Amino acid sequence: MTRTKKRILVAVASVGLFLPAAAFADIVFDPTNFVEAVEQVAQEVQLVEQFKQQIQNQLAMLQSWDYSQLTGILQNMNVWQQVFGQAGTTYSSTDPGTTLDQQYPSDPGNYAGMSDGTIQTMRDGWNQEARNVLIENRTVQNDTYLNLAPTAQRIGQYVEKSNAAPGATAAMQAGNEELATVVAQLQTLQAQEITDARGDAERDAQDQAEDAYGQQQRQAVRGEWDNPAPPTTSLVNAFPLAGQ
């Protein structure tokens, strides 16, 4: 019998000494069942000790993990939120259709009676927005390029650490950080696709607005052709003596 079993047996026997005799009047003591129960409890205690040791080993593995880039990865992932946040409500508008119509009117009637100065102001706004999209796109491209080499180096170091991991827990931690790096790369690709698509959308919207303005101008000119406005003053005879 092991030391643990002996301790449990002594503890159970000690409890029995303090019970009144009446408590044992109708109880038939079965030594075999008693020993089996003691052995089962001892096995469970030993199992708990093993679990405790495993947790301590895993904790020691993580404490020895001296290479982590999660902070830098999370910072890189936050870059795109900052870049897109500079676009105002472009990416957060709950009604992008109305916002687009207000910024780039596509109905020729919206330009009726509009002065040249007003349309020039609108065009200046369109050109500035197109410039902002180019800056946004270049920012994403530059950040993506600058992260290529560090990401490759980071993945190589993760693989090296994973191969040299002292146990499964450390290897799993390396795998988790590798996965975080991959997620960051996917987010970079998404950011690039978003800004590319925005550039196409802005150009198409501006083309539609310019076309609508051109249609309104043509309609105005043709309307004057079909219904020319009468002169506001009577004509003056330039040759009053010609009939004399």
Side-chain angles (χ1 to χ4, degrees):
M1 181 179 295
T2 63
R3 181 177 301 176
T4 302
K5 294 180 181 178
K6 290 180 180 179
R7 290 178 178 175
I8 296 174
L9 183 59
V10 171
V12 174
S14 300
V15 173
L17 293 176
F18 294 97
L19 294 176
F24 297 96
D26 298 328
I27 298 177
V28 178
F29 179 74
D30 187 346
T32 303
N33 291 338
F34 180 76
V35 172
E36 291 178 353
V38 171
E39 291 179 348
Q40 183 177 358
V41 173
Q43 291 175 358
E44 292 177 353
V45 171
Q46 186 177 5
L47 191 60
V48 170
E49 290 292 336
Q50 291 176 354
F51 286 155
K52 178 181 178 181
Q53 186 61 44
Q54 290 178 1
I55 294 174
Q56 290 176 344
N57 292 339
Q58 292 175 355
L59 180 60
M61 292 176 191
L62 289 178
Q63 289 176 343
S64 63
W65 179 259
D66 57 353
Y67 179 78
S68 178
Q69 296 291 324
L70 287 178
T71 301
I73 293 173
L74 294 176
Q75 290 177 350
N76 289 338
M77 295 174 71
N78 291 332
V79 166
W80 311 127
Q81 295 181 0
Q82 297 174 2
V83 170
F84 293 146
Q86 295 174 357
T89 59
T90 299
Y91 296 105
S92 59
S93 174
T94 58
D95 190 1
T98 299
T99 303
L100 188 67
D101 289 338
Q102 293 175 348
Q103 188 175 6
Y104 300 97
S106 59
D107 183 1
N110 292 330
Y111 301 95
M114 186 174 292
S115 65
D116 293 340
T118 301
I119 189 62
Q120 184 59 48
T121 299
M122 294 182 66
R123 281 174 168 162
D124 291 342
W126 297 341
N127 293 334
Q128 183 60 50
E129 187 65 22
R131 189 68 176 179
N132 292 340
V133 175
L134 292 176
I135 294 174
E136 176 187 282
N137 188 278
R138 178 167 291 190
T139 300
V140 174
Q141 290 183 21
N142 288 354
D143 286 336
T144 301
Y145 173 75
L146 293 175
N147 284 328
L148 289 178
T151 298
Q153 181 180 6
R154 185 185 301 123
I155 289 295
Q157 290 173 318
Y158 280 145
V159 173
E160 180 181 352
K161 288 289 184 179
S162 178
N163 292 337
T169 304
M172 186 179 299
Q173 179 66 17
N176 290 338
E177 298 207 19
E178 289 178 11
L179 180 60
T181 301
V182 173
V183 171
Q185 289 295 98
L186 291 176
Q187 190 184 51
T188 298
L189 293 177
Q190 288 180 333
Q192 191 66 62
E193 292 177 356
I194 288 172
T195 187
D196 288 343
R198 185 191 173 199
D200 294 339
E202 295 288 342
R203 284 189 292 271
D204 290 342
Q206 183 172 353
D207 290 343
Q208 292 177 4
E210 290 281 7
D211 183 64
Y213 174 70
Q215 290 183 34
Q216 190 278 330
Q217 290 293 95
R218 289 191 293 272
Q219 291 173 2
V221 172
R222 289 171 181 170
E224 292 181 358
W225 289 349
D226 297 335
N227 299 295
T232 57
T233 59
S234 59
L235 295 177
V236 177
N237 187 357
F239 306 98
L241 302 178
Q244 297 181 357

